């Protein structure tokens, strides 16, 4: 997403009263025979069609690669962009002799590929040493346009209690080092090694937000603002709120569903801010517990109701959240699509549940890898 594209998207949003949404996805590169992660990003980049290279980037490790959709108002444009990019990147990976996986972390044991040769990444390794998480830690980031940073900070306060449910529905990494971890999102557990990973705190103002960033950098917890790994933050590059809680989704359908819900969550938050409705001041430690439960159980177990502290079936809480977001979904023309996509998610289960179902049938992680690769390509 270039600065010019982001500016044009902001103008579209202002003219229509709707919010733009864009998606970034990170993928794992693996050996097509063993399923182990391989340091093949440079080989794959060489095979990416020239007209798409502006939307494809290297990530932290040489076993990872990232795409970014242009921001848009229509879910159909997000679906089209992600579909084109995923297919092109899957083809590029195969021409390079590897396979592309939309998966939270590597399920098959093997050597940890090196970090991409980049000065900033070198400084991160020098500072944080053995925090590098396994063979590749792959997430999904959703950007939603906001009019100004002060509004963005208020939006962060309003969305923070509901992120555990998005965390649960995006779980897609139950296996690691050849074993079932017992978690639906092992990526989340590995990711939390980094000291700046946390639920977003309650923020008094944009100045408070900036002050915390300065203090975290001066404390040594972060090298720069790019290492602010809160589950929701203001983008350092674009006029957006960026939600970055989930594993990368296995399919385009899953990603489009999450993008729609994230936009509706931000739109609902903005409506609450404009109406003077206060954000729910959820206790930080309850949020930590809710996110842990989301990573552990995914959608197929229980979740924490942050309004009461009680544990309820995850699907019950997700249905309740979707109903809360219905006015914003209808405003953006997304209600019918979301209803259909939620039905598919209910039938097929989370990415973690799908992986476990394949493994239960065959007992082979290589079959899990093949099935994830099929979903990735679409």
């Amino acid at each position: 997403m270039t600065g010019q594209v982001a500016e044009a998207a902001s103008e579209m949003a202002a003219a229509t009263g709707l919010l733009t949404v864009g998606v970034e996805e990170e993928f794992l590169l693996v050996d097509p025979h063993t399923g182990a992660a391989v340091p093949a990003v440079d080989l794959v980049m060489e095979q990416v069609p020239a007209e798409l290279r502006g939307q494809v980037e290297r990530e932290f490790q040489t076993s990872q690669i990232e795409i970014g959709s242009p921001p848009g108002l229509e879910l159909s444009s997000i679906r089209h962009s992600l579909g084109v990019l995923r297919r092109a990147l899957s083809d590029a990976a195969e021409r390079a002799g590897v396979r592309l996986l939309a998966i939270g972390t590597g399920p098959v044991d093997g050597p940890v590929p090196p970090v991409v040769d980049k000065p900033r990444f070198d400084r991160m390794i020098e500072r944080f040493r053995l925090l590098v998480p396994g063979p590749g830690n792959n997430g999904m980031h959703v950007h939603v346009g906001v009019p100004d940073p002060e509004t963005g900070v208020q939006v962060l306060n309003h969305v923070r209690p509901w992120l555990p449910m998005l965390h649960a529905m995006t779980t897609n990494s139950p296996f690691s080092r050849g074993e079932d971890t017992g978690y639906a999102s092992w990526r989340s557990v590995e990711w939390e090694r980094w000291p700046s990973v946390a639920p977003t705190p309650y923020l008094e103002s944009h100045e408070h937000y900036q002050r915390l960033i300065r203090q975290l950098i001066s404390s040594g917890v972060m090298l720069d603002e790019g290492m602010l790994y809160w589950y929701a933050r203001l983008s350092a590059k674009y006029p957006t709120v960026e939600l970055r809680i989930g594993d990368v989704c296995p399919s385009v359908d899953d990603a489009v569903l999450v993008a729609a819900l994230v936009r509706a969550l931000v739109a609902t938050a903005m409506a609450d801010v404009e109406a003077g409705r206060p954000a729910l001041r959820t206790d930080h430690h309850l949020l930590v517990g809710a996110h842990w439960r989301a990573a552990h159980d995914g959608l197929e177990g229980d979740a924490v109701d942050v309004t009461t502290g009680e544990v309820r079936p995850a699907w019950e809480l997700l249905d309740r959240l979707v109903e809360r977001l219905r006015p914003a979904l209808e405003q953006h023309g997304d209600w019918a699509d979301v209803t259909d996509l939620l039905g598919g998610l209910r039938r097929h289960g989370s990415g973690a549940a799908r992986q476990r179902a394949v493994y239960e049938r065959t007992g082979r992680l290589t079959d899990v890898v093949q099935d994830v690769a099929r979903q990735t390509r679409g």
Side-chain angles (χ1 to χ4, degrees):
M1 182 165 65
T2 66
Q4 291 90 341
V5 171
E7 184 177 346
S10 297
E11 292 174 358
M12 280 194 303
T16 61
L18 304 178
L19 302 182
T20 58
V21 61
V23 174
E24 298 170 348
E25 295 186 301
E26 299 161 352
F27 302 98
L28 188 69
L29 302 171
V30 301
D31 183 291
H33 305 293
T34 67
V38 289
V41 67
D42 288 339
L43 294 174
V44 175
M45 289 291 289
E46 291 174 0
Q47 298 296 326
V48 174
E51 66 273 15
L52 297 179
R53 288 180 184 171
Q55 298 175 68
V56 180
E57 295 183 357
R58 293 168 178 81
E59 238 297 317
F60 187 61
Q61 287 170 267
T62 52
S63 52
Q64 296 176 282
I65 196 164
E66 180 180 19
I67 62 172
S69 75
L73 296 176
E74 303 289 339
L75 282 188
S76 57
S77 67
I78 299 299
R79 176 185 295 280
H80 175 75
S81 295
L82 294 180
V84 167
L85 287 165
R86 280 178 174 232
R87 286 190 296 273
L89 211 54
S90 293
D91 289 342
E94 290 180 13
R95 288 194 294 271
V98 298
R99 185 162 287 168
L100 185 78
L101 298 187
I103 196 167
T105 193
V108 176
D109 198 12
V112 176
V115 170
V116 168
D117 186 13
K118 188 176 179 180
R120 179 173 179 267
F121 293 164
D122 292 340
R123 293 197 303 273
M124 290 172 68
I125 295 300
E126 183 180 1
R127 171 75 59 84
F128 299 103
R129 306 299 293 174
L130 293 179
L131 294 187
V132 177
N137 195 289
N138 305 299
M140 172 186 182
H141 308 157
V142 182
H143 290 260
V144 180
V146 291
D148 57 78
E150 201 64 57
T151 300
V153 164
Q154 296 308 312
V155 166
L156 295 179
N157 288 340
H158 280 262
V159 304
R160 61 193 289 272
W162 313 111
L163 298 187
M165 285 318 306
L166 298 180
H167 193 167
M169 70 181 292
T170 55
T171 50
N172 187 35
S173 51
F175 297 103
S176 179
R177 303 188 186 281
E179 298 183 4
D180 191 321
T181 65
Y183 284 77
S185 174
W186 187 246
R187 179 202 66 89
S188 301
V189 177
E190 292 187 324
W191 185 230
E192 287 174 1
R193 296 175 183 178
W194 294 94
S196 54
V197 173
T200 309
Y202 190 91
L203 301 157
E204 301 300 334
S205 64
H206 185 231
E207 192 282 326
H208 181 205
Y209 180 90
Q210 292 177 310
R211 184 170 72 250
L212 282 174
I213 290 174
R214 293 193 299 269
Q215 290 170 339
L216 289 171
I217 292 173
S218 65
S219 74
V221 165
M222 307 188 316
L223 294 181
D224 51 38
E225 186 175 351
M227 284 192 69
L228 186 70
Y229 297 143
W230 292 344
Y231 299 154
R233 68 182 188 184
L234 302 183
S235 171
K237 297 180 180 179
Y238 311 116
T240 63
V241 166
E242 180 185 3
L243 274 66
R244 43 188 298 119
I245 181 54
D247 291 357
V248 63
C249 291
S251 73
V252 170
D253 274 355
D254 298 312
V256 169
L257 174 59
V258 173
L261 293 179
V262 168
R263 174 165 64 177
L265 184 61
V266 172
T268 301
M270 288 181 62
D272 287 341
V273 170
E274 291 169 5
R277 290 187 285 268
L280 182 65
R281 298 279 301 247
T282 309
D283 184 83
H284 171 79
H285 293 287
L286 180 60
L287 274 184
V288 170
H291 279 290
W292 177 86
R293 192 68 188 242
H296 186 272
D297 284 26
L299 267 185
E300 284 65 43
D302 290 327
V304 177
D305 182 344
V306 296
T307 65
T308 65
E310 297 177 352
V311 173
R312 307 292 301 169
W315 264 107
E316 176 186 322
L317 296 183
L318 179 57
D319 286 339
R320 193 187 305 173
L321 174 61
V322 171
E323 191 60 36
R324 183 175 187 272
L325 302 181
R326 181 168 182 167
L329 289 167
E330 290 179 338
Q331 177 192 6
H332 286 82
D334 296 342
W335 177 251
D337 285 337
V338 163
T339 300
D340 181 57
L341 292 170
L342 273 174
L345 183 63
R346 200 183 300 269
R347 288 191 301 273
H348 303 305
S350 66
R354 290 172 226 171
Q355 289 186 47
R356 283 173 166 150
V358 172
Y359 188 73
E360 185 175 343
R361 287 197 305 271
T362 72
R364 294 188 297 270
L365 283 176
T366 50
D367 291 337
V368 173
V369 167
Q370 290 178 3
D371 188 66
V372 173
R374 176 189 58 81
Q375 293 182 72
T376 302
R377 175 186 287 278

